[in-house]
Amino acid sequence: MIPALTIENLRKVYDNGFEALKGISLEVEQGDFFALLGPNGAGKSTTIGIICSLVAKSAGTVSVFGVDIDQDFPTAKKHIGIVPQEFNFNQFEKAFDIVVNQAGYYGLPQQLARQRAEKYLSELGLWDKRNIAARMLSGGMKRRLMIARALVHEPKLLILDEPTAGVDIEMRRSMWSFLRKINTEGTTIILTTHYLEEAEALCRNIAIINHGQIVEHSSIKNLLRRLHREVFILDCVETLPEALIIPGFIVRRMDDHTLEVEVEKGQHINQVFAELDRQGIHIESMRNRANRLEEMFVNLVEGAA
Amino acid sequence: MTPREQFIAFMTIVRKEIHRYLRIWTQTLLPSAITMSLYFVIFGTLIGSRIGEMGGFTYMQFVVPGLIMMAIVTNSYSNVVSSFYGSKFSHSVEELLVSPTPNYVILMGYVIGGVTRGLLVAIVVTLVSLFFTRLHIHSYAVVVLIVLMTSTLFALAGFINAVFANSFDDISIIPNFVLTPLIYLGGVFYSMDLLPEFWANVSRLNPLVYVVNAFRYGVLGVSDVSLPFALGMIALFTAVAFVYSMHLLNSGTRLRQ
């Protein structure tokens, strides 16, 4: 099957001499939910900018569903829907007009454009706001408006650059659910985000970019499997002794009823449960201390992994 | 994109542009009507009555074509410069840049948007002028041709200004310090015959001279320059502005990083 996106040896050197991309290569399969992660300034937005023609590449090739952007950019563009990081619509236009006009730029006839605008504004909970000027919408609504606008020509590849930045938890969850739905229906999605739990919750595959280079490109499952250590927080029923020792494990007593345990690769949490049980301590509940992907991400971008 | 899809994209831009300037008509259409009324009252009626004839016509009849052309030039220019720079400023131009709409369709969409505003203002100013004088059109064909060519030329010029502008100050520098002096020195208020030979020759470097005189020929049947030459010069300026605008769009100057 032709990949949804193929990037080979992509380089970008800005006019001031800054090399934002140092020859990255990447492949995203059709139907994938793909995360492109990296710290600020790593090259994520530059990569996205090149794919959707807002940034001119210095070298390399980019193909969208087999269409080389150097050969036939208009066809490649038809396959792409882009939701940028910053609001980039006319704040004085009505939400409905913004979506209908975008459809027009893709050559959709007025009637179809209006039908699609209604469909996506409704699905994203904005239909009752359709006649309101965009500037009057809340931050979360503006983000959903940009998603509706990106989908109006029904692209096969949707690229979202930090779509949930500054969005409240409830709204974020509803956006996750919408994105899962359209991914299930066949839209390939590439997501950049600073919320690593978002990438872990939504995406199957991942690339981590740092200083203009891909430092990791694999499935999230494989990535997490390589974690050497996990930290669990145990809420205990009984009061914990001051000097609690579990042989073979690093433990920290957080307070009278809370214990933090580090479990290295190859160790089993059952050993901890057994030892605590032997000492007459029962576990009420348990959770991960930190997001696992976040830990891996920090290791990778700091070059420690 | 198929030709039909390109036409849809073109009409989308034109419709959006027309909707934009009609929505803010008090900023876009009304000022020209008021300003031109004042010109008619002051230069045409009050001062003009003491000047007497110019080029065989009353002073009011003489200045009306120039004033109409002045409104067309400023409105077609300012529509494109403010709209396109506004879309750059708000980044909404990215809506077009990420779409498959060809660059020439983007350019033509904005230009025709500016042309329609120029035409609309021309109609408004012409109607206002009828309160002050009777207009006898010498050649409708020349009038229509000059109006279309001139508004296209200055809409293109506005586009070039918008591409290079980095701030709202930059979109007012050219209209205030270049366009307005050129209009005033382009023979709107006087015949070139009144100028000493040296300054008359210098004036021939001013594109507005050809625009104003060609339009005056269409309305009154008199001109300080030959009509074919004036048409040729306007066409030349328009072709250069179009080619340069396309170059700016194709190279992504100030639009793509």
Side-chain angles (χ1 to χ4, degrees):
Chain A
M1 196 192 298
I2 300 167
L5 177 69
T6 309
I7 293 175
E8 284 173 0
N9 299 316
L10 190 63
R11 281 188 71 232
K12 173 63 187 178
V13 183
Y14 284 102
D15 291 342
N16 61 7
F18 174 67
E19 191 174 13
L21 296 176
K22 299 171 181 170
I24 65 164
S25 295
L26 199 63
E27 196 170 282
V28 178
E29 295 301 323
Q30 282 190 37
D32 201 355
F33 207 136
F34 190 92
L36 183 61
L37 305 181
N40 288 331
K44 304 184 300 289
S45 293
T46 299
T47 306
I48 289 173
I50 290 171
I51 297 167
C52 64
S53 89
L54 294 175
V55 177
K57 63 187 169 65
S58 303
T61 60
V62 176
S63 297
V64 182
F65 287 90
V67 181
D68 188 326
I69 63 169
D70 291 327
Q71 306 290 326
D72 187 1
F73 216 158
T75 302
K77 283 175 171 181
K78 280 187 175 181
H79 295 317
I80 304 170
I82 175 82
V83 181
Q85 200 172 329
E86 306 290 340
F87 301 130
N88 69 342
F89 43 74
N90 184 338
Q91 302 271 345
F92 297 96
E93 277 184 59
K94 292 174 187 170
F96 186 71
D97 293 343
I98 287 171
V99 180
V100 169
N101 284 340
Q102 189 68 19
Y105 302 150
Y106 284 82
L108 268 66
Q110 273 273 307
Q111 198 184 352
L112 181 60
R114 287 170 170 274
Q115 286 169 3
R116 293 265 184 91
E118 181 175 352
K119 175 184 172 189
Y120 288 107
L121 286 173
S122 301
E123 286 190 18
L124 284 152
L126 289 171
W127 182 241
D128 58 339
K129 308 283 183 194
R130 64 189 179 281
N131 289 322
I132 292 177
R135 70 180 188 281
M136 306 301 286
L137 300 175
S138 69
M141 289 175 184
K142 286 176 181 170
R143 296 228 169 263
R144 284 181 285 152
L145 173 60
M146 291 203 295
I147 295 176
R149 185 186 62 178
L151 288 171
V152 74
H153 62 288
E154 302 199 330
K156 292 198 277 185
L157 172 63
L158 180 66
I159 302 173
L160 303 112
D161 197 357
E162 299 191 26
T164 55
V167 171
D168 68 44
I169 293 169
E170 191 186 345
M171 189 73 76
R172 193 182 305 167
R173 298 276 166 181
S174 84
M175 277 167 71
W176 286 9
S177 141
F178 177 77
L179 293 175
R180 277 197 194 97
K181 176 179 157 287
I182 59 168
N183 178 243
T184 308
E185 289 167 357
T187 307
T188 307
I189 297 178
I190 298 175
L191 175 87
T192 80
T193 179
H194 278 299
Y195 302 111
L196 298 178
E197 76 274 17
E198 184 166 88
E200 191 174 348
L202 292 173
C203 303
R204 285 186 286 281
N205 291 299
I206 189 171
I208 297 177
I209 186 168
N210 193 27
H211 299 305
Q213 290 174 310
I214 300 286
V215 293
E216 184 62 54
H217 185 191
S218 72
S219 71
I220 288 189
K221 217 171 172 180
N222 281 338
L223 198 63
L224 294 176
R225 207 174 284 149
R226 282 166 28 204
L227 269 176
H228 295 291
R229 176 182 73 110
E230 278 199 71
V231 180
F232 295 97
I233 294 172
L234 309 180
D235 298 310
C236 306
V237 178
E238 291 79 13
T239 303
L240 294 166
E242 288 292 336
L244 178 70
I245 293 171
I246 301 176
F249 291 88
I250 297 170
V251 294
R252 279 179 293 275
R253 186 182 182 279
M254 311 299 289
D255 59 41
D256 284 351
H257 293 275
T258 313
L259 190 65
E260 194 176 272
V261 184
E262 289 186 19
V263 180
E264 297 287 333
K265 198 171 183 181
Q267 290 184 315
H268 300 287
I269 188 80
N270 280 350
Q271 294 171 260
V272 176
F273 295 153
E275 178 60 23
L276 287 173
D277 191 49
R278 197 185 63 74
Q279 295 185 31
I281 298 168
H282 297 95
I283 311 300
E284 192 173 39
S285 62
M286 182 184 80
R287 62 189 182 274
N288 281 90
R289 187 190 65 176
N291 178 272
R292 296 176 304 160
L293 188 59
E294 189 167 309
E295 201 170 332
M296 177 61 91
F297 175 81
V298 170
N299 286 339
L300 285 167
V301 297
E302 287 178 356
Chain B
M1 286 181 107
T2 64
R4 182 167 180 266
E5 288 172 333
Q6 290 185 23
F7 181 70
I8 290 170
F10 167 75
M11 286 309 297
T12 303
I13 301 169
V14 172
R15 216 172 11 242
K16 188 178 162 185
E17 284 300 290
I18 293 173
H19 185 246
R20 188 193 72 86
Y21 69 69
L22 289 180
R23 190 181 62 217
I24 50 171
W25 64 275
T26 51
Q27 297 171 45
T28 53
L29 305 179
L30 191 59
S32 288
I34 292 172
T35 308
M36 291 306 151
S37 299
L38 291 171
Y39 275 121
F40 292 140
V41 170
I42 296 166
F43 290 98
T45 308
L46 300 179
I47 297 175
S49 60
R50 291 166 181 257
I51 292 174
E53 284 195 352
M54 190 166 291
F57 294 90
T58 66
Y59 190 64
M60 175 62 98
Q61 285 175 317
F62 182 83
V63 294
V64 163
L67 290 174
I68 293 171
M69 194 43 73
M70 188 170 159
I72 292 170
V73 166
T74 51
N75 278 278
S76 52
Y77 188 96
S78 60
N79 193 70
V80 181
V81 75
S82 58
S83 177
F84 196 74
Y85 178 71
S87 69
K88 260 179 66 179
F89 183 77
S90 68
H91 295 285
S92 61
V93 70
E94 292 174 6
E95 293 176 335
L96 274 165
L97 298 179
V98 302
S99 79
T101 306
N103 287 337
Y104 81 90
V105 172
I106 295 175
L107 181 61
M108 290 314 298
Y110 274 95
V111 166
I112 297 302
V115 168
T116 60
R117 178 167 151 191
L119 286 175
L120 198 54
V121 169
I123 292 167
V124 170
V125 173
T126 304
L127 292 174
V128 170
S129 75
L130 294 177
F131 287 102
F132 299 91
T133 186
R134 286 184 60 203
L135 271 183
H136 167 74
I137 305 296
H138 175 73
S139 167
Y140 283 97
V142 171
V143 165
V144 171
L145 185 64
I146 296 297
V147 166
L148 291 177
M149 288 175 76
T150 304
S151 50
T152 301
L153 169 60
F154 286 93
L156 285 165
F159 180 83
I160 294 167
N161 187 176
V163 168
F164 283 104
N166 283 323
S167 68
F168 281 100
D169 287 341
D170 292 344
I171 65 170
S172 61
I173 286 173
I174 300 290
N176 287 336
F177 297 108
V178 179
L179 205 53
T180 304
L182 286 179
I183 291 171
Y184 279 79
L185 297 171
V188 171
F189 298 105
Y190 56 82
S191 166
M192 305 284 280
D193 296 341
L194 298 178
L195 296 175
E197 190 180 345
F198 175 76
W199 289 111
N201 287 332
V202 170
S203 292
R204 289 179 199 283
L205 299 173
N206 179 357
L208 268 301
V209 165
Y210 303 100
V211 164
V212 170
N213 277 284
F215 188 66
R216 186 171 285 139
Y217 176 84
V219 178
L220 303 177
V222 295
S223 171
D224 292 335
V225 294
S226 115
L227 182 66
F229 185 69
L231 286 172
M233 291 302 283
I234 299 168
L236 178 68
F237 286 126
T238 306
V240 169
F242 180 79
V243 169
Y244 188 54
S245 299
M246 281 305 298
H247 165 72
L248 292 175
L249 270 173
N250 290 335
S251 62
T253 305
R254 307 279 180 110
L255 296 172
R256 292 185 165 94
Q257 292 175 300

